[in-house]
Amino acid sequence: MGRGPTRLSGEGRVRPFCMTPPGPTLADLRAALDAKAKPPGALGRLDDLALRVALVQGSYAPDPDPARVLLFAADHGVAEDGVSAYPASVTAAMVRTVAAGGAAVAVLARSCGASLEIVDVGVNADLSDVTGIVHAPVARGTRNLARGPAMTAAECEAAWQVGADAAQRAAEGGIRTILPGEMGIGNTTAAAAVLAALFGWTPASAVGRGTGVDDAGLARKADAVRAGLGHVGKEARPREVLAHVGGFEIAAMAGAFATASDLGMVAIVDGFIATAAAAVAVRHDARVADHLIAGHASAESAHRRALDALGLEPILDLGLRLGEGTGAVLALPILRAACAVLRDMATLDDALALGR
C-alpha cells in the first residue's frame, strides 16, 4: 500500500522519498564479491548481508556504522488482564534502569559499539525527572485492546511520528543503521494481535509465553488477542490494525522503520515485537522490506513464522526473549564483518599478483 511524500514534524524537515541512491546494481555487487580472494559463496550468508547493505547505501564500500539503538517505551492497558508475569510498573522501573546504564540493552550497546536513544512514547508514569531520555509521551499507556481500540487514529499517528522523528534525528546525526527496540509490559500480547490481524493467524498460534507466563497466563493472552481481533474489520488497513490492537512503542518502531527506508538507512529488526512493527511498516509500503535485516530469531514461538512471512532470515538464534533491541545489537558485529568483506578484502587477482 503506497503513500505520498514523507511528513516529518518540525520546520524545514519535510523531505521527499529517498530512493536507493544511484550506484552499483545487484549484478555489479555480486561480481565484486565473486572476484574476492575466495571461492564464490564460500562465506555463505556474509555475502548476502553485505549485498543488502551495499544496495541500500548504493556503494561498493558498505558500512553499517555509526549505528544507534532507538528504544521506545510504553505501557499497555491489556496488562490489567494478567497477560504478563510482571506488573505494569516494571516498564517505568526498567526505563530508569536503561537510562542509568544498567539494563541489558545499555550494556550490550556499549559492548557492541552502538549509541542508544531512549524515548518515552507512552509510559504510565511521570518520568520527567529522568535525564538522558527523549520525553515524547502520547498518553499514559494505551487502552485495553481486549475491550476496544487501544489507540485513537490520532494517537496512533502521533506515536508513528515519534518514531519517524527519532529516525530523522539519527539520520541528521550521521547514523547509517538504526536498531529499533521496545520496552513495555504486555507488549507481546499486542504484537501477537497485530500479527494475527495482518497475517490471518489464530490467536492461539500467535501468542507465546513472553515474560514467562504459565499456561493460565498463556490462555489469558490468547483470549485477549481473540477479543481484540473482534474489533478489527477484515478490510482494516495496516495502520488501522495498529491503532486497534497495537501499542505506542510498536507504532513508533513502525514509524522508525518506514522513515529509515525513506532516508536510505539500514534497519536491524530485533525480536517478536519489533517484527510486528516491521510487518506494519512493510504492509504499509513494501519498499521498507529492502532496508530490513533480521537480527535474530527469538524464543517467542511465533517469531520465526513472522520472519518467514516477511521474507527475512535471522542472523542469530540464541534463544533470546528479552526484547529491548538486544538481539539486533548482538547481530551488529556480524553485519560489520560482512560489509568489511566487500569493502576491504583483496581480489583473487590481487592475491595472485602478490604471489608472482
Side-chain angles (χ1 to χ4, degrees), residues 1 4 18 53 164 168 181 191 201 223 228 250 260 269 286 293 305 313:
M1 191 171 296
C18 177
V53 179
Q168 176 78 35
W201 296 352
D223 287 344
I250 298 174
V269 183
I293 292 172
R305 190 178 177 198
E313 185 176 355

Side-chain angles (χ1 to χ4, degrees), residues 234-280:
K234 292 187 180 300
E235 302 301 320
R237 297 185 177 190
R239 287 170 75 159
E240 292 172 337
V241 168
L242 184 60
H244 273 83
V245 295
F248 292 137
E249 82 280 38
I250 298 174
M253 286 190 293
F257 284 127
T259 303
S261 171
D262 291 347
L263 301 179
M265 302 167 74
V266 174
I268 303 181
V269 183
D270 187 45
F272 183 68
I273 301 146
T275 302
V280 173

Side-chain angles (χ1 to χ4, degrees), residues 65 67 106-115 179 326 328-333 336:
D65 288 311
V107 172
L108 293 176
R110 288 196 301 271
S111 175
C112 295
S115 60
L179 296 74
T326 50
V329 171
L330 290 169
L332 182 59
R336 288 191 185 113

